[in-house]
Amino acid sequence: MVVAVDVTLFRHEVALTHAVRGGAQRHETRTRLYLSLRDGASRGVGEVAPQPQFLNGDPGVDDVIVELAETVLPQLLAIREREGALASWSRWGRLVGPRPASRPAVALVEMALLDLELRRAARGLDELWPAARDPGFQRVVSLMDVDDEWPDLSGVRRLRAKLRPGRIDPAALERVAATGLPVILDFNATATDAAQVRDALTKVATRLDVDAVEQPFRVGNLVDTAALAREIDVAISLDESVRSLIDVEQIVRYEAAAMLCVKPARVGGVANARTIIAKARERGLRVYVGGFFESPYARRVHQLLAQHSDVEASDVAPVTTRGTPLALVESSAGVGWELPEEVLDASTTRLVRLSSGT
């Protein structure tokens, strides 16, 4: 008898409790995509939270949904039918395609495969990835306004503060300074020349302990970024520019950065993220793990990745939302949480369901 495989894609809209104004957008809401993958008696769940629209090389959520429905999920079932078994989570990231939406789509399936394999083996992700140390949390705030109350900063070791050239609110600057925490100034690719970055540094120099300047220029502009790195006494961090091992090699070649933000959904999943982190550290770069305002479900995976990879303070703290959150169940097997399908059915929108086998 051929064992049936069922994949179901769900969409969950949330409003962030603490909105954040970035250089190119205001983060108020998020769409989280969940994939339930059932293979016989075993089931795994994955999650990604794409951007609302295409920005700085990151695909919008609708593009990711199309990529899943038309390419990635049919490919998953085709491999199962052809080989009689699902692809291994650790190899799935190799299937990343050329379209921007491919990486988060592949990452979503990979997390579901990882959860399924661990549950089938009655193992937890913390066993697979034993912690090297706890790098602690990094929180995202804004230097551009003071409209919203900040999240709890207990245990936070560093802030990533959003800004854009000419947009630093004095009250927001004082609020960041009052924390006494080191700060990454995150331009989100909004600066057009070095003078704008130097001007921002001058404005905050006496108030903030600036650890790094992040993604000052557009994605791929390593020439100007490298020139800026030689001009200022603050480390350069790159975020949107990091999608593959080739990117890391180019960044090293141009000496364009001293720090990288590695986001699993942006690089095609946690297996690719681990490889990129290892290569970056081998090349002498500082690294932290970032995210896209995921729920505690995916954040648990990213937190374990950060602890296992021995990186710096990372964006892996829980993100709170308004309304009733999805009812997660703690689990010693899998990725650390269980998300029952009945919870998804009751609280989210079902987008796609595909099956293979009878």
Side-chain angles (χ1 to χ4, degrees), residues 229-256:
R230 293 190 294 269
E231 293 177 21
I232 62 177
D233 294 328
V234 176
I236 298 293
S237 174
L238 288 176
D239 178 13
E240 288 92 339
S241 293
V242 182
R243 288 180 166 81
S244 68
L245 281 174
I246 293 175
D247 292 334
V248 175
E249 293 294 345
Q250 290 291 89
I251 290 166
V252 170
R253 176 187 175 192
Y254 282 91
E255 299 181 344

Side-chain angles (χ1 to χ4, degrees), residues 276-333:
I276 289 171
I277 290 170
K279 177 60 70 173
R281 297 198 61 195
E282 178 186 305
R283 295 292 194 170
L285 299 175
R286 300 161 59 191
V287 183
Y288 73 91
V289 175
F292 287 99
F293 297 99
E294 298 89 352
S295 82
Y297 186 88
R299 288 260 160 162
R300 169 66 173 165
V301 178
H302 298 168
Q303 183 180 3
L304 290 173
L305 171 66
Q307 292 173 346
H308 177 68
S309 302
D310 193 17
V311 296
E312 297 190 5
S314 296
D315 287 335
V316 294
V319 177
T320 59
T321 58
R322 304 185 189 279
T324 304
L326 295 183
L328 300 176
V329 179
E330 266 195 277
S331 175
S332 59

Side-chain angles (χ1 to χ4, degrees), residues 146 149 171 215 245 299 336:
V146 290
E149 178 186 353
Q215 197 65 51
L245 281 174
R299 288 260 160 162

Side-chain angles (χ1 to χ4, degrees), residues 38-91:
R38 186 178 296 279
D39 185 17
S42 301
R43 175 176 173 269
V45 174
E47 178 198 348
V48 291
Q51 290 275 27
Q53 293 89 31
F54 183 90
L55 180 66
N56 292 330
D58 292 323
V61 62
D62 290 338
D63 292 328
V64 177
I65 291 170
V66 170
E67 182 75 9
L68 284 160
E70 297 184 357
T71 302
V72 176
L73 297 182
Q75 186 177 30
L76 173 71
L77 295 183
I79 292 173
R80 175 63 166 73
E81 290 183 353
R82 183 175 67 248
E83 300 183 5
L86 289 170
S88 169
W89 77 268
S90 61
R91 297 184 178 183

